[in-house]
Amino acid sequence: MQIHTTARHCELDPADRAFAEQRLGKLTRFAPDLSEVHLTVTAESYRHIAEITLKLKGKDVVSRETSTEARAAIDLASDALEEQLRRIKGRRVDRSHGKLQNGKSAPADAPAAAGPKDGATDEAMDDDGFDSGTG
């Protein structure tokens, strides 16, 4: 994973840069296909804006947060990204485990299909699934 850092209208301290690399390095737990991270820190009068863009396989994830200090803005933005990645990972896991339409997973020992109702047998059913009217 590559981490690119850009500072606009300010200088990023080496300690803040190391903090950002450490914090963003932890995001690979939630997205192993994370290939590139771009961090942009912008200073505007009294506030710092941290914008983090993650490049995943097939999608980009972006978070932007504002604080009075650069490190706090980076921390807030990475928290928001962590939450987004948790949701994305949950969707990926649910999709790979084959969720049903109603949101519940099928139990392993569930019968494949329910039989005919009201005690009707298969011989008494037409091709369309209706009673043949024998009685």
Side-chain angles (χ1 to χ4, degrees):
M1 172 181 70
Q2 295 179 345
I3 299 176
H4 303 284
T5 307
T6 304
R8 292 184 183 155
H9 309 293
C10 67
E11 293 281 330
L12 222 86
D13 293 336
D16 290 342
R17 194 177 301 263
F19 170 76
E21 289 179 5
Q22 176 193 16
R23 189 82 163 92
L24 296 172
K26 292 180 181 181
L27 297 178
T28 57
R29 292 185 295 186
F30 304 107
D33 60 337
L34 182 62
S35 62
E36 188 176 340
V37 178
H38 190 91
L39 167 67
T40 304
V41 179
T42 306
E44 294 180 358
S45 65
Y46 67 92
R47 64 182 177 177
H48 292 295
I49 302 168
E51 180 177 338
I52 304 172
T53 304
L54 304 178
K55 297 211 183 271
L56 302 176
K57 181 180 175 186
K59 117 181 337 192
D60 290 349
V61 183
V62 179
S63 175
R64 181 180 301 147
E65 293 292 333
T66 304
S67 181
T68 56
E69 296 180 9
R71 184 179 284 215
I74 293 168
D75 194 35
L76 289 171
S78 60
D79 283 343
L81 276 176
E82 187 174 320
E83 185 61 34
Q84 287 181 33
L85 289 176
R86 282 179 200 252
R87 280 188 260 131
I88 290 170
K89 182 178 181 180
R91 286 187 209 124
R92 286 178 175 176
V93 169
D94 290 348
R95 186 177 299 134
S96 69
H97 288 297
K99 287 282 199 172
L100 295 176
Q101 288 181 353
N102 62 359
K104 296 180 182 176
S105 60
D109 58 346
K117 292 184 180 180
D118 300 331
T121 61
D122 290 337
E123 294 85 24
M125 302 293 261
D126 284 346
D127 291 334
D128 296 334
F130 295 107
D131 274 348
S132 58
T134 57

